[in-house]
Amino acid sequence: QTDGKMVAVGYGWVVDTYHFAVARYQTNGLLDTAFNTGGTRIVQVANSDNGAMAASVQTDGSLVVAGSANTGTWDFASLRFYSNGILDTAFNTDGKATIAIGVGEDRAFNIASSTDGSTVLAGFGNNGADEDFAAIRLDASGNLETSFHTDGKLIASITPAVTDIAFSVKVRTDSSIVLGGF
């Protein structure tokens, strides 16, 4: 974060499923107890396995987390927290957004925030035959931003009939988006 604190995201095991796990550390490496009163937060997004892969700090200090949730098949998932670690329920009505991209398994691996409060998640979406670069753009309220690729979703084949995965995303100052992967 701009204040030197560090955020780590991943998976947390609760009873019999994985959930989104977030931890924030002070500059000295100790858990930041101002984040959810203990420094960590575990949130269930779907009733089955789910987990975080990346986080982005927004200009207002909010933390947006990207990953995937199994809602019957894997979909992109995102959470937004206030800087104190409490879910921002103004984000998609409950602090959580789950979005199907393709016709099968979709996974988000990275996230980038824009200065307007929107976020872009990047990963892969299944086109019915293989996986392609995929990205979604969510507005500040956690809804698909339909001005992005007509419906808020993008699936792009880089090499036909071969798996293509976006592992990085950058929103540039001119609002253009760059994806990188293989």
Side-chain angles (χ1 to χ4, degrees):
Q1 298 184 164
T2 57
D3 60 4
K5 293 180 180 179
M6 299 161 280
V7 175
V9 299
Y11 301 75
W13 181 257
V14 178
V15 183
D16 60 352
T17 57
Y18 289 103
H19 302 302
F20 274 55
V22 182
R24 189 169 69 192
Y25 298 91
Q26 299 176 43
T27 57
N28 63 6
L30 297 174
L31 281 171
D32 180 4
T33 58
F35 184 81
N36 195 42
T37 68
T40 63
R41 185 77 197 265
I42 295 179
V43 177
Q44 183 177 11
V45 177
N47 291 332
S48 191
D49 287 336
N50 48 110
M53 296 296 287
S56 178
V57 179
Q58 297 188 305
T59 55
D60 67 357
S62 296
L63 178 67
V64 186
V65 180
S68 304
N70 189 341
T71 61
T73 186
W74 288 94
D75 294 326
F76 277 32
S78 185
L79 305 174
R80 186 168 66 200
F81 298 94
Y82 293 112
S83 62
N84 63 4
I86 304 300
L87 272 175
D88 177 359
T89 57
F91 184 77
N92 201 38
T93 70
D94 64 356
K96 310 169 193 175
T98 306
I99 298 96
I101 309 296
V103 296
E105 182 177 349
D106 307 316
R107 299 277 187 135
F109 294 113
N110 213 325
I111 188 169
S113 294
S114 297
T115 56
D116 65 0
S118 65
T119 55
V120 178
L121 282 70
F124 72 79
N126 187 286
N127 66 19
D130 59 30
E131 286 74 32
D132 289 331
F133 270 39
I136 61 168
R137 188 173 186 129
L138 300 176
D139 64 20
S141 297
N143 301 305
L144 284 171
E145 197 170 275
T146 57
S147 63
F148 175 70
H149 203 258
T150 70
D151 63 357
K153 306 174 189 179
L154 166 72
I155 294 182
S157 178
I158 306 302
T159 309
V162 176
T163 296
D164 305 314
I165 301 174
F167 282 112
S168 63
V169 59
K170 174 76 175 166
V171 179
R172 298 171 33 150
T173 55
D174 67 358
S175 296
S176 62
I177 298 165
V178 179
L179 301 174
F182 77 88

